[in-house]
Amino acid sequence: MRIVFMGTPAFAATCLSGILETGHEIVGVYTKVDTPKNRGMKLLASEVKQLAVSRGLSVYQPTTFRDDAAVEELRALRPELIVAVAYGKLLPQRVLDIPKYGCINIHGSILPALRGAAPVQWAVLNDLPETGVTAMYLNAGMDEGDIIGVRKTAIGPDETAGELMDRLAVLGADLLRDTLAAIAAGTATRTPQDPALATYAPMLDKSLSPIDWNRPMRAILAQIRGLNPWPIATAELGGTPFKIYQAQPAPEQSGAPGKPLALTKAGLVVACADGAILITRLQAQGGKVMPAPDYFRGHPIDL
């Protein structure tokens, strides 16, 4: 099939790499415009663009499909199928109508659960036991199209959102290869989603970062894991602001929520609503990420 691929981050690049292992023809790759990053505000290409350029694929970066010229440029590629993975834009109906086999998407959840921009992170933030990836046909709604197939996986008890994202990308690429084969063979199925079961996963922002020590231990640990690698959970300990990268349960410890209870060889024990957590990896403001014992060895904290 003649395929146009649309995607932006590393998750999407893994899926694009999976398509390149098949015999399908990638006639164009669409991704977001290069964005300024870091202190020098240097323009950086998306992971999808970097892969596409390295493989000699044609790259397109329209800012919108409201522009007739952008739609006609896409139409001129004569795609038989559009594959969108974490592209970051909703496709209007006139784009969805272009390919004869329609437009499909690989979404990082078991739909209709966790529709939206950050399904992997919210699966961890919500302390779910499992999640997965869904292949679906796109429609004009947000992640509302008919389901083609699903792959499920358990979420590890210590797994961060970043680690889970990497695993789901591989799972998504595998599902995408199978989905393309089914579409080409005319055997792909369509199962409508039940809107009554829909939940949502909005974009993350830094307002989610501060830890509320009056919450239960499991909720705080899920927050730390779910916000890693961005925007990272935060807390003030002993008057110093920190980013908290890693923690684990601290059995048989308790105290006033937010109070540092003990400094061990493994890390700093801090009380929460129903016990305590052991912070093992953190970053002081202006410092580097390091094991908690290493930091507090040179910066004593009152207990």
Side-chain angles (χ1 to χ4, degrees):
M1 289 184 291
R2 293 175 58 85
I3 295 174
V4 162
F5 183 88
M6 299 182 175
T8 298
F11 184 97
T14 300
C15 291
L16 174 57
S17 181
I19 299 178
L20 292 170
E21 297 173 6
T22 70
H24 299 290
E25 181 183 5
I26 307 292
V27 296
V29 173
Y30 280 67
T31 190
K32 280 191 169 182
V33 297
D34 298 357
T35 55
K37 291 185 179 180
N38 304 322
R39 292 182 180 178
M41 299 302 282
K42 180 181 178 181
L43 288 177
L44 294 180
S46 71
E47 288 87 348
V48 163
K49 181 178 179 179
Q50 293 174 44
L51 174 60
V53 170
S54 73
R55 300 297 292 268
L57 301 173
S58 299
V59 176
Y60 302 85
Q61 296 175 275
T63 56
T64 178
F65 282 111
R66 296 192 184 110
D67 182 355
D68 290 343
V71 174
E72 291 310 311
E73 182 177 55
L74 173 59
R75 194 188 309 278
L77 296 174
R78 296 182 292 108
E80 296 175 290
L81 181 74
I82 291 176
V83 177
V85 182
Y87 180 37
K89 297 178 184 291
L90 284 175
L91 301 182
Q93 192 62 49
R94 61 178 181 163
V95 168
L96 299 177
D97 291 339
I98 290 175
K100 70 175 183 178
Y101 294 121
C103 303
I104 65 169
N105 171 251
I106 299 295
H107 184 74
S109 77
I110 304 170
L111 289 171
L114 299 176
R115 295 172 175 174
V120 180
Q121 295 91 328
W122 281 102
V124 180
L125 288 167
N126 292 340
D127 201 20
L128 300 182
E130 71 170 4
T131 187
V133 288
T134 301
M136 54 173 272
Y137 285 100
L138 286 173
N139 61 19
M142 183 179 68
D143 303 324
E144 297 175 2
D146 292 346
I147 292 172
I148 305 168
V150 175
R151 298 280 192 279
K152 298 180 181 180
T153 184
I155 300 175
D158 300 317
E159 196 166 26
T160 67
E163 292 165 343
L164 179 59
M165 184 82 74
D166 291 343
R167 287 204 303 115
L168 289 180
V170 175
L171 202 63
D174 183 63
L175 175 59
L176 178 55
R177 285 191 293 268
D178 288 349
T179 301
L180 294 179
I183 291 172
T187 60
T189 59
R190 303 183 72 126
T191 303
Q193 295 187 40
D194 183 351
L197 300 178
T199 59
Y200 294 90
M203 291 182 66
L204 303 183
D205 61 57
K206 292 184 178 181
S207 69
L208 298 169
S209 293
I211 294 174
D212 178 358
W213 296 103
N214 291 297
R215 298 176 72 208
M217 176 189 66
R218 284 183 63 96
I220 292 173
L221 292 175
Q223 177 185 7
I224 293 168
R225 293 163 45 228
L227 298 183
N228 185 341
W230 190 90
I232 302 296
T234 60
E236 187 173 295
L237 303 169
T240 300
F242 291 93
K243 291 182 177 180
I244 311 299
Y245 282 80
Q246 195 172 52
Q248 60 192 53
E252 301 178 3
Q253 298 273 6
S254 64
K259 177 177 172 51
L261 301 177
L263 184 59
T264 73
K265 291 181 180 180
L268 179 68
V269 179
V270 181
C272 55
D274 60 350
I277 70 168
L278 175 69
I279 297 172
T280 58
R281 196 164 187 83
L282 46 62
Q283 179 182 23
Q285 193 172 49
K288 62 181 181 180
V289 181
M290 64 174 60
D294 292 353
Y295 175 82
F296 289 111
R297 191 175 297 118
H299 304 81
I301 186 170
D302 292 333
L303 301 173

